[in-house]
Amino acid sequence: MFSDVFRLSLSGRTPRRNYWCALLVYALIGWAMGIVSEALLNVTITESLWNASNVFIYWIGIFIQILVLLLTIRRLHDISKSGWWVLFFLIPVVGWIANLILGFIGSAPGENRWGPNPYGVADPFVQKAKAEQLSELLRSGAISQTEYDEAIRRIGYDKHN
């Protein structure tokens, strides 16, 4: 569940549960950093120690922001969107709404170009509907048997289940 929290990678997919857990961990780290920063205001320390602690807290904050960016991109991959969609998150208000929506959208069924479904399963009703559409395309000659087989593999459909 916490495997995505400190993962420094753009590749792969992050499911909803891992996304929310990682955001919770990041929020707790931010909260703890705020408490430490406030506590340092009430302690008599040298100026150099004060500056060093502020720089340390600043760099932890930058590191957490990078982790959030990478996590969000992997979450976008999970719903079959390009990581470039993260640019919408930079728009005030729109970004907050997009982030909230991103946290509630389910994983794309089957495999996409960023990897297999992290849960290993997909919604069987969606899979069946897509498989039926593909069968119709195959019957009409719009796609070849090879294209059909590849698409069925990508959606993870097993007609025996």
Side-chain angles (χ1 to χ4, degrees):
M1 183 178 322
F2 292 103
S3 62
D4 286 318
V5 174
F6 296 107
R7 195 170 93 188
L8 290 169
S9 172
L10 288 172
S11 64
R13 297 167 61 168
T14 296
R16 276 183 296 200
R17 179 182 57 192
N18 293 19
Y19 181 70
W20 286 114
C21 288
L23 288 180
L24 176 64
V25 168
Y26 300 149
L28 291 174
I29 291 170
W31 178 71
M33 287 178 10
I35 289 175
V36 169
S37 183
E38 284 293 321
L40 289 174
L41 289 174
N42 299 323
V43 175
T44 305
I45 56 176
T46 66
E47 186 176 337
S48 62
L49 184 57
W50 169 254
N51 290 338
S53 64
N54 280 336
V55 168
F56 180 71
I57 289 172
Y58 172 80
W59 283 108
I60 288 175
I62 294 293
F63 181 68
I64 294 297
Q65 290 300 315
I66 290 168
L67 289 173
V68 169
L69 177 69
L70 295 173
L71 176 78
T72 303
I73 289 171
R74 288 191 311 270
R75 180 71 189 115
L76 286 164
H77 289 172
D78 189 48
I79 62 169
S80 294
K81 299 292 181 208
S82 167
W84 289 106
W85 281 70
V86 79
L87 295 176
F88 283 111
F89 291 70
L90 299 175
I91 303 169
V93 181
V94 172
W96 303 328
I97 294 168
N99 198 20
L100 187 62
I101 292 170
L102 182 64
F104 289 104
I105 297 174
S107 296
E111 186 176 321
N112 66 22
R113 68 184 193 192
W114 294 283
N117 186 311
Y119 292 121
V121 297
D123 184 344
F125 296 110
V126 172
Q127 284 180 321
K128 185 174 182 184
K130 286 185 177 186
E132 288 171 355
Q133 289 173 341
L134 288 167
S135 293
E136 184 58 39
L137 289 171
L138 179 64
R139 278 193 294 278
S140 70
I143 61 173
S144 69
Q145 182 67 43
T146 306
E147 292 169 320
Y148 171 81
D149 292 340
E150 175 62 20
I152 288 294
R153 184 192 63 74
R154 282 186 41 235
I155 65 172
Y157 181 68
D158 182 6
K159 63 183 174 185
H160 302 293
N161 285 339

